[in-house]
Amino acid sequence: MFEKNEILNWDENDWKKKAFVNFTEDLTGKNPKFPCIFGTSGYQKNELRFDFFQRIDIESIKLLGQSLIEYLKIAKKLGSYTSFVAFFNIETNKNVEEYEKDFWQVLNMLHRIDESPWPEDISKDTNNPQWEFSFGGEPIFVVCNTPAHKLRKSRSASTFMITFQPRWVFDEIGLLTPKGEKSKKIVRELLKKYDDIPEYPYLGSYGDPENKEWLQYFISETNEVSNIEKCPFHQLLSQNSVEQVKYVSGKNISLEQAVFELLPETGSVEVQRDTPLREHKTHTHPTNETLLIIEGEITFYAENQKIPCKSGDRILLPANTKHSSIAGPNGCLYIIALEFVNPEIEKVGARI
């Protein structure tokens, strides 16, 4: 984790220095003025902290998690306009949709390695107005900038970049006070001048009945969202969350779609095909598992429940749950994502 004065002394040819200089120029530019006056104030007051990562993989995410924990420990001492900014040295020629997948992959992987319980006062339902991404026991508002954003310049950056802002910052700067409302109006007016696209329709305030925080995390180049009911953040079962079998109904899904959906949560998945009517006797696993059905049907038996599943459905099995299953008459194809008991262990040979 670094502060701006350290980075400005780095070699000019270092990708980190280049990314930071571009960030600084965007944030402090005058014509037009950058819309986020809170971020600009944080930079001027030296309340922002930064870190840099070579790629999006489990090792980089572990390093990001460590930096975030270090930052959260000192954040309140830094000031009311503080944020943590993470830069990634990944491809700069992706489209917006590809970067969006990268963004949610980062959040899902961070959630996987989080050793702290989800805050009790923060909803786990992403469509609840009281939901916020949380890490290290701290609710955090998250914003993503990418090189693919051209029209929405307020979300543009020279490299893939994610900003983490603790939820308490919004209370510190009084966004719900008359002064805070005035500041939000200033930001909205600056956005109109800064972006070459009309204002995003899903901008809202935390806690408002109609607001969904996650819709503001990654904003596309258009003002449309393909599915405002389905957030790409998947809260897996973990030692710190629910400890019971959970069934989630879904719609038909392809193998490719399923892999992309589960990979951000775990970093690796297994694909298994059961022949028609194949039976797995009652057994347990030492790890939490998520199973996502691709083709065919399968029935699970766990905790005195009989759970029939079809394509798109998923089963969340906590570690050491006694369960069995039998495939349907046409067999079943499904994906298994393992929740590792020890985040340092990257592969566990458990199968259903």
Side-chain angles (χ1 to χ4, degrees), residues 12-216:
E12 298 292 336
N13 295 317
D14 191 331
W15 77 267
K16 306 179 190 71
K17 174 69 173 289
K18 291 179 179 178
F20 184 76
V21 168
N22 283 320
F23 165 80
T24 299
E25 290 173 349
D26 288 341
L27 201 65
T28 59
K30 301 296 182 183
N31 189 25
K33 186 176 180 180
F34 191 73
C36 185
I37 56 177
F38 310 114
T40 302
S41 295
Y43 182 85
Q44 293 170 343
K45 294 172 180 289
N46 196 29
E47 296 178 3
L48 307 186
R49 291 297 181 266
F50 310 90
D51 212 339
F52 303 83
F53 306 92
Q54 284 291 348
R55 57 188 66 85
I56 297 174
D57 59 13
I58 189 63
E59 291 302 326
S60 296
I61 299 306
K62 287 176 184 176
L63 293 174
L64 172 58
Q66 292 170 9
S67 287
L68 264 176
I69 291 298
E70 291 175 17
Y71 165 74
L72 292 172
K73 288 178 180 177
I74 65 169
K76 289 196 174 181
K77 296 178 182 178
L78 295 176
S80 300
Y81 296 96
T82 187
S83 292
F84 175 87
V85 185
F87 300 89
F88 292 82
N89 190 28
I90 64 173
E91 293 178 46
T92 57
N93 60 352
K94 295 185 177 185
N95 60 39
V96 173
E97 291 74 22
E98 290 171 322
Y99 281 122
E100 183 173 12
K101 289 180 181 178
D102 288 336
F103 169 71
W104 289 109
Q105 179 178 356
V106 170
L107 289 199
N108 280 311
M109 291 175 76
L110 272 175
H111 175 61
R112 269 208 70 258
I113 66 169
D114 189 8
E115 297 180 358
S116 299
W118 194 262
E120 291 185 2
D121 57 340
I122 300 298
S123 174
K124 295 179 181 178
D125 178 3
T126 53
N127 288 325
N128 188 307
Q130 301 293 333
W131 179 86
E132 192 81 271
F133 174 74
S134 298
F135 187 82
E138 192 77 61
I140 303 172
F141 183 74
V142 191
V143 172
C144 185
N145 292 61
T146 83
H149 283 81
K150 306 298 183 184
L151 298 176
R152 202 177 300 281
K153 296 175 181 176
S154 57
R155 292 297 178 108
S156 179
S158 64
T159 191
F160 184 69
M161 183 182 93
I162 302 178
T163 301
F164 298 85
Q165 192 166 39
R167 178 79 250 158
W168 58 259
V169 166
F170 297 92
D171 297 327
E172 291 275 328
I173 59 182
L175 279 190
L176 297 180
T177 67
K179 181 181 177 181
E181 290 298 325
K182 184 178 179 180
S183 296
K184 282 195 287 187
K185 287 182 181 179
I186 293 174
V187 171
R188 298 288 177 88
E189 288 302 315
L190 290 172
L191 271 174
K192 292 177 182 178
K193 298 176 183 178
Y194 200 82
D195 288 344
D196 294 333
I197 186 173
E199 182 178 282
Y200 183 63
Y202 299 103
L203 294 178
S205 297
Y206 182 76
D208 284 355
E210 301 302 317
N211 183 57
K212 296 179 182 179
E213 285 285 280
W214 65 271
L215 287 173
Q216 302 175 74

Side-chain angles (χ1 to χ4, degrees), residues 58 62 112-113 115 340-346:
I58 189 63
K62 287 176 184 176
R112 269 208 70 258
I113 66 169
E115 297 180 358
F340 308 124
V341 174
N342 182 347
E344 294 301 319
I345 300 174
E346 296 197 10

